[in-house]
Amino acid sequence: MKAIVINTYGNEDVLNYIDVDHPEPKADEVLVPGAKLLNKSDIKLCQ
């Protein structure tokens, strides 16, 4: 599975597109297929 990871503050150049393990939900969790989250405040925080 691919993921975009931010490891440091900066502009869009600090976004890293990497391979990660597929998440496995625990007994009290659910996995939402196709869920994505990146919003303007995430980008603003890194600047």
Side-chain angles (χ1 to χ4, degrees):
M1 181 170 95
K2 295 287 189 176
I4 297 175
V5 179
I6 302 171
N7 292 320
T8 185
Y9 291 104
N11 60 13
E12 63 274 359
D13 295 332
V14 302
L15 301 175
N16 297 308
Y17 189 61
I18 63 170
D19 287 311
V20 295
D21 294 332
H22 192 273
E24 293 294 329
K26 298 178 182 141
D28 61 342
E29 299 177 334
V30 296
L31 180 62
V32 179
K36 298 163 189 73
L37 179 61
L38 182 62
N39 55 46
K40 288 184 180 182
S41 62
D42 295 326
I43 303 287
K44 195 73 169 166
L45 178 65
C46 293
Q47 294 177 340

